[in-house]
Amino acid sequence: MVLLLFSCHFNPGRENDFEYTHGAITRANPGLKEIALVFTGDEFADGAEWITSVLSQQSIKASFFFTGRFYRNPAFESAIQTLVNDGHYLGAHSDEHLLYCDWDQRDSLLVTKQAFITDLENNYREMKRFGIDKQDARYFLPPYEWYNDAIAAWTSELTLQLINHTPGTLSHADYTEPDMPNYRSSKEILDSILAFERSNENGLNGFILLIHVGTSPMRTDKFYQYLDPLLALLKSKSYSFKRIDALLEI
């Protein structure tokens, strides 16, 4: 498989430590009590200051994946620069937050290969303005956290590595609004994380835990406000937190 060959190119044998879903790494070594906190952003950044403060107080480095639209937004420049200065990982999340494939028929692509490449290159061009070089940001988290094997292969051909959040919790549902049928409250989300940690044989080992850096004003119950006690609890259980590049090291 092309993706595995790419992984071997960087660190032979490490791909066997990971779990994959449709060609993307979705979990690191489940034998190690290590977690990568991953934040994504496109339209909203209301949690940036809160999240940055919590991470600083907890002495944790996290990973942030933003769209080109996010990087271009003048209102977000200060927050982005703070993340860069604080030593967090900043990566790509597509330029225009494209939907790559059909929700019901995952194998049905909604973008051409050239459209995918052009959009992703535009994302990296915006990142360059903040001193983020492509070779230092080779992990790519797809928009909507939705993709298929073709997207994974195209990503690999660009010498990038596709990743996604680890399934099993509701952390990625923190964007939902009260009028949505899939709405989940922050307490439900928190409970799902803690329940998984208690019930799964390997807990949250190797987890890529995804949270949004901001959400619509229609959602007033912000999950990022639960971040401080969640991190403190997990640290008390001997989990350590790593940037995505340190967690995967490929």
Side-chain angles (χ1 to χ4, degrees):
M1 181 178 177
V2 174
L3 183 61
L4 297 188
L5 290 175
F6 168 69
S7 297
C8 290
H9 175 73
F10 286 98
N11 199 337
R14 276 306 306 278
E15 75 277 1
N16 294 324
D17 291 343
F18 309 140
E19 294 180 6
Y20 291 82
T21 304
H22 291 282
I25 297 176
T26 52
R27 192 171 188 174
N29 191 336
L32 300 177
K33 293 180 75 70
E34 299 174 343
I35 297 173
L37 281 177
V38 167
F39 298 87
T40 60
D42 178 35
E43 296 180 81
F44 307 107
D46 49 281
E49 184 175 353
W50 184 292
I51 292 166
T52 302
S53 176
V54 168
L55 294 176
S56 177
Q57 293 170 19
Q58 293 276 1
S59 299
I60 289 173
K61 301 301 181 186
S63 304
F64 294 80
F65 292 84
F66 299 142
T67 63
R69 292 192 303 207
F70 192 102
Y71 285 109
R72 278 191 295 274
N73 193 326
F76 301 161
E77 285 190 6
S78 177
I80 295 169
Q81 194 59 59
T82 296
L83 293 173
V84 172
N85 294 342
D86 286 355
H88 298 291
Y89 182 97
L90 275 78
H93 193 45
S94 85
D95 191 62
E96 294 288 343
H97 209 263
L98 304 179
L99 182 61
Y100 292 148
C101 49
D102 188 90
W103 287 112
D104 298 316
Q105 299 182 49
R106 192 167 191 161
D107 288 341
S108 179
L109 284 165
L110 301 178
V111 295
T112 64
K113 184 176 183 179
Q114 189 54 56
F116 166 80
I117 293 173
T118 299
D119 177 80
L120 191 51
E121 287 178 343
N122 289 340
N123 193 172
Y124 277 102
R125 184 171 61 247
E126 295 300 327
M127 293 163 58
K128 184 72 173 178
R129 296 192 302 109
F130 293 91
I132 306 166
D133 293 323
K134 185 177 181 180
Q135 61 265 28
D136 297 322
R138 301 178 81 167
Y139 295 98
F140 167 52
L141 203 156
Y144 297 102
E145 294 77 62
W146 191 244
Y147 60 97
N148 59 23
D149 294 272
I151 297 298
W154 294 349
T155 301
S156 180
E157 289 174 17
L158 296 174
T159 66
L160 303 172
Q161 173 66 63
L162 195 68
I163 66 166
N164 202 17
H165 64 85
T166 307
T169 80
L170 296 172
S171 73
H172 59 289
D174 65 335
Y175 74 92
T176 56
E177 301 168 19
D179 62 347
M180 294 179 176
N182 62 334
Y183 175 72
R184 295 293 184 271
S185 70
S186 290
K187 185 179 185 306
E188 286 181 276
I189 294 170
L190 179 63
D191 288 347
S192 77
I193 297 171
L194 300 182
F196 189 98
E197 197 279 330
R198 289 193 302 268
S199 62
N200 189 271
E201 179 183 2
N202 295 309
L204 297 175
N205 293 3
F207 240 66
I208 300 172
L209 189 66
L210 186 147
I211 303 169
H212 290 86
V213 77
T215 61
S216 166
M218 297 298 292
R219 183 186 178 103
T220 57
D221 178 23
K222 305 290 189 177
F223 181 68
Y224 55 74
Q225 295 179 344
Y226 288 67
L227 188 60
D228 192 37
L230 173 62
L231 298 183
L233 175 61
L234 294 179
K235 287 171 75 173
S236 75
K237 292 175 176 286
S238 301
Y239 288 98
S240 62
F241 295 87
K242 291 190 169 185
R243 290 180 14 153
I244 193 69
D245 53 341
L247 183 77
L248 302 181
E249 292 183 316
I250 63 173

